[in-house]
Amino acid sequence: MNFGDLQSDDGLVLLNSFLADKSYIEGYCPSQGDVVVFEAIKNVPSADLENVLRWYNHISSFDDAERQKFQGQRQSLEYYKRQDNQEKHESKLSSVNPADDFDLFSNNDNEEESEIRKQRVKVHIEKNAKKPAPIAKSGIILDIKPWDDETNMEELEKNVRSIELDGLIWGTSCFVPIAYGIRILKIACVIEDKVSTDLLEERITEFEDLIQSVDIALFRNTPQNEEKSFLQHLSFLESADSFFLFYLLFSKNKMNFGDLQSDDGLVLLNNFLADKSYIEGYCPSQGDVVVFEAIKKVPSAGLENALRWYNHISSFDDAERQKFQGQRQSLEYYKGQDNQEKHESKLSSVSPADNFDLFSNNDNEEESEIRKQRVKAHIEKNAKKSAPIAKSGIVLDVKPWDDETNMEELEKNVRSIELDGLIWGTSCFVPIAYGIRILKIACVIENKVSTDLLEERITEFEDLIQSVDIALFRNTPQNEEKSFLQHLSVLESAD
């Protein structure tokens, strides 16, 4: 570890060479050695020192409290340099039993010891020659993107996991919200070197009805002893997501929206929010609060993106906004110049493969042509499909004349009504007063069924029914239809 003065360029060059085949200063996990060396570096390493920069960014991603919990005992900086460290270990070696001190790699032997060495080395070589070479493996995080917000993501994941290749193991996964209800599947896998990433992507995109594209969000060599950990822990997905998030927020759309009390500033903010729900990330954060407080008047209707965002943030009260995630920064932090400088240093460590965004138009000619062909095929295929039937979920309050009305017969009569596009669901009797109960009943209707017609048909049982009220009316997506019809919670919410 002879990396010299870490405040000099020469020292950082030596450290860069030391970290060329290592992830940490000592061992395979962050330790106090990493903390000591990290604290000795006063400036962010330059981009050309890629090994040091990778290591530095990784250690800086932990806060002080987390770094204090790293394993091992904290030693002096000199301990982690060769001269001091060497002296410490030589003093330990002096206490070793002479019988243990027999050095098979030394040349200071008599003839008998030399022969013993040759025999042992020969046996060792022959023994290891019979062992198979360790299989090189890589850990990958894939971002798998659907066509739209109506894609069945559970089915998409099931199809992806159905892919079987010799040398491929699937790991943990999660769905990550992007915007406008669209989610991507982020999934970990480990592949042996004989498995081509091109082949894997090709197999995944064969499910063209569900999948628009695949990105490699993270790619790294994975030692055999880390394989299980890589496949099981969601922290790898989160780290891959931070790369994706930095690119999405700061590479393509800078937050340079100027003076938010001027019309020009609001126009820039409106453009910035054209493909985003929030100022930072996928959830409301302190960034939204700071920008919201800087706007002194409600955006005009012509600034639809800014107005949508403004109305959403204003729907929370002050106490709720204070609980939004993240740390509060100055307004300047959320503007382009200051924020851009902070994050471009982080972006410089992201590999070009991580920055390939299939939702953008920043493709080379070949990628652009592939995208056009796939989008064209998808549009043509879906144009042949019949449009989904629009349906509405309704909860009806059916009221009897008095407490002597036979409610079981009343319900039987209501359910006897048959219309093309009408499906009856769950029901219950709700006491009102003086022994009178009403029938609360759920149904789903297609748009071709008129609610006026339905009410008219129900009130035809005039001996039993006084009136009908619509207690709840809402659009019901096809995948929620069954749930709406079966669950009493729908009736309780209407009540």
Side-chain angles (χ1 to χ4, degrees):
M1 298 189 200
N2 189 12
F3 34 71
D5 179 10
L6 291 172
Q7 295 188 41
S8 70
D9 292 340
D10 291 342
L12 290 177
V13 168
L14 290 170
L15 179 59
N16 188 65
S17 301
F18 172 76
L19 289 168
D21 58 351
K22 298 175 183 64
S23 297
Y24 303 103
I25 298 299
E26 288 187 308
Y28 306 114
C29 301
S31 70
Q32 291 304 314
D34 295 279
V35 179
V36 172
V37 176
F38 175 80
E39 291 174 351
I41 299 173
K42 301 305 180 186
N43 298 309
V44 179
S46 60
D48 58 324
L49 300 173
E50 55 186 13
N51 302 316
V52 180
L53 185 60
R54 164 185 52 77
W55 168 83
Y56 185 91
N57 287 338
H58 177 49
I59 301 302
S60 65
S61 69
F62 300 92
D63 60 31
D64 289 338
E66 291 172 321
R67 285 196 284 266
Q68 295 310 312
K69 295 177 183 177
F70 285 177
Q71 64 183 19
Q73 290 186 337
R74 188 183 178 98
Q75 307 287 350
S76 68
L77 179 61
E78 292 304 315
Y79 175 88
Y80 301 104
K81 295 184 180 181
R82 184 168 182 175
Q83 186 175 358
D84 186 38
N85 218 8
Q86 187 174 334
E87 289 171 2
K88 290 179 183 290
H89 289 292
E90 281 177 354
S91 65
K92 291 182 181 179
L93 283 170
S94 64
S95 64
V96 178
N97 187 312
D100 298 330
D101 208 17
F102 179 70
D103 184 5
L104 282 167
F105 296 99
S106 161
N107 292 320
N108 302 324
D109 308 323
N110 58 35
E111 191 174 340
E112 184 180 355
E113 288 170 343
S114 178
E115 189 59 34
I116 291 172
R117 178 194 350 279
K118 288 177 182 176
Q119 290 300 320
R120 292 196 65 190
V121 169
K122 182 180 179 182
V123 170
H124 179 75
I125 292 171
E126 289 175 353
K127 187 176 180 180
N128 281 278
K130 297 174 185 177
K131 291 182 180 179
I135 300 170
K137 296 185 178 182
S138 301
I140 301 177
I141 305 292
L142 297 171
D143 283 352
I144 302 176
K145 302 173 183 177
W147 285 104
D148 50 41
D149 60 329
E150 294 183 357
T151 302
N152 186 328
M153 295 302 291
E154 287 73 20
E155 184 184 352
L156 184 152
E157 180 179 4
K158 183 179 177 182
N159 287 343
V160 169
R161 289 185 181 277
S162 71
I163 297 170
E164 295 181 358
L165 295 171
D166 184 23
L168 165 67
I169 306 171
W170 293 110
T172 192
S173 63
C174 64
F175 297 126
V176 179
I178 301 298
Y180 309 112
I182 297 174
R183 298 178 297 165
I184 64 171
L185 170 65
K186 199 172 278 288
I187 187 168
C189 65
V190 168
I191 61 171
E192 296 176 10
D193 277 6
K194 63 184 175 183
V195 179
S196 159
T197 54
D198 290 339
L199 172 61
L200 181 57
E201 290 183 41
E202 185 181 322
R203 290 291 305 276
I204 291 172
T205 51
E206 284 176 1
F207 301 105
E208 53 188 17
D209 289 344
L210 300 168
I211 295 170
Q212 181 201 144
S213 59
V214 183
D215 276 348
I216 295 176
L218 182 70
F219 188 103
R220 73 174 203 185
N221 293 332
T222 303
Q224 198 160 2
N225 60 346
E226 291 184 18
E227 179 183 324
K228 188 175 180 181
S229 174
F230 184 90
L231 288 169
Q232 290 182 349
H233 292 291
L234 280 167
S235 59
F236 289 107
L237 300 185
E238 291 162 2
S239 67
D241 195 44
S242 66
F243 286 137
F244 175 75
L245 189 57
F246 279 135
Y247 175 67
L248 187 66
L249 290 179
F250 304 110
S251 174
K252 289 164 60 183
N253 298 289
K254 307 297 188 290
M255 299 190 193
N256 190 11
F257 34 70
D259 179 10
L260 291 171
Q261 296 186 39
S262 70
D263 291 339
D264 290 343
L266 290 176
V267 168
L268 290 170
L269 176 62
N270 187 68
N271 294 338
F272 172 76
L273 289 168
D275 58 351
K276 297 176 184 61
S277 297
Y278 302 103
I279 297 298
E280 287 189 306
Y282 310 124
C283 302
S285 71
Q286 291 303 313
D288 295 278
V289 179
V290 172
V291 176
F292 175 80
E293 291 174 352
I295 298 173
K296 301 305 181 186
K297 61 180 180 180
V298 179
S300 64
L303 302 172
E304 54 185 11
N305 303 315
L307 182 62
R308 164 185 53 78
W309 167 83
Y310 185 91
N311 288 338
H312 176 50
I313 301 303
S314 64
S315 69
F316 300 92
D317 60 30
D318 288 338
E320 290 172 321
R321 285 196 284 266
Q322 294 310 311
K323 295 177 183 177
F324 285 176
Q325 65 182 19
Q327 290 186 336
R328 189 183 178 100
Q329 307 287 351
S330 68
L331 179 61
E332 291 305 313
Y333 176 90
Y334 301 105
K335 292 186 179 180
Q337 188 174 359
D338 183 36
N339 218 8
Q340 188 176 335
E341 289 172 1
K342 290 177 185 291
H343 290 286
E344 277 182 351
S345 63
K346 296 187 179 182
L347 280 169
S348 64
S349 64
V350 181
S351 91
D354 295 333
N355 280 358
F356 182 69
D357 181 7
L358 279 162
F359 285 132
S360 84
N361 294 319
N362 301 326
D363 306 328
N364 61 36
E365 192 172 340
E366 183 181 355
E367 289 163 350
S368 179
E369 189 58 34
I370 291 171
R371 180 201 315 286
K372 288 176 183 175
Q373 292 300 322
R374 293 207 66 209
V375 170
K376 182 180 177 183
H378 178 76
I379 292 171
E380 289 175 350
K381 189 168 185 178
N382 281 277
K384 299 173 185 176
K385 293 181 180 178
S386 56
I389 299 171
K391 296 185 179 182
S392 302
I394 301 177
V395 176
L396 298 171
D397 284 351
V398 184
K399 301 175 182 177
W401 285 104
D402 51 39
D403 60 333
E404 295 182 359
T405 301
N406 186 327
M407 295 301 293
E408 287 72 18
E409 183 183 354
L410 182 152
E411 180 180 5
K412 183 179 178 181
N413 287 341
V414 169
R415 288 186 180 276
S416 71
I417 296 171
E418 295 181 358
L419 294 170
D420 184 23
L422 165 67
I423 307 172
W424 293 110
T426 191
S427 63
C428 62
F429 297 126
V430 179
I432 300 299
Y434 308 111
I436 297 174
R437 298 178 298 167
I438 65 170
L439 170 66
K440 198 172 278 287
I441 186 167
C443 64
V444 168
I445 61 171
E446 296 177 9
N447 280 6
K448 62 184 176 183
V449 178
S450 160
T451 54
D452 291 338
L453 172 61
L454 181 58
E455 289 182 44
E456 185 182 321
R457 290 292 304 276
I458 291 172
T459 52
E460 285 177 359
F461 301 104
E462 54 189 17
D463 291 342
L464 299 168
I465 296 170
Q466 179 195 148
S467 63
V468 182
D469 283 342
I470 296 176
L472 179 69
F473 187 102
R474 73 176 195 190
N475 292 332
T476 302
Q478 197 163 2
N479 59 349
E480 292 182 19
E481 179 184 323
K482 189 175 179 181
S483 173
F484 184 91
L485 289 169
Q486 290 182 349
H487 291 291
L488 282 166
S489 59
V490 176
L491 303 184
E492 290 164 3
S493 65
D495 197 41

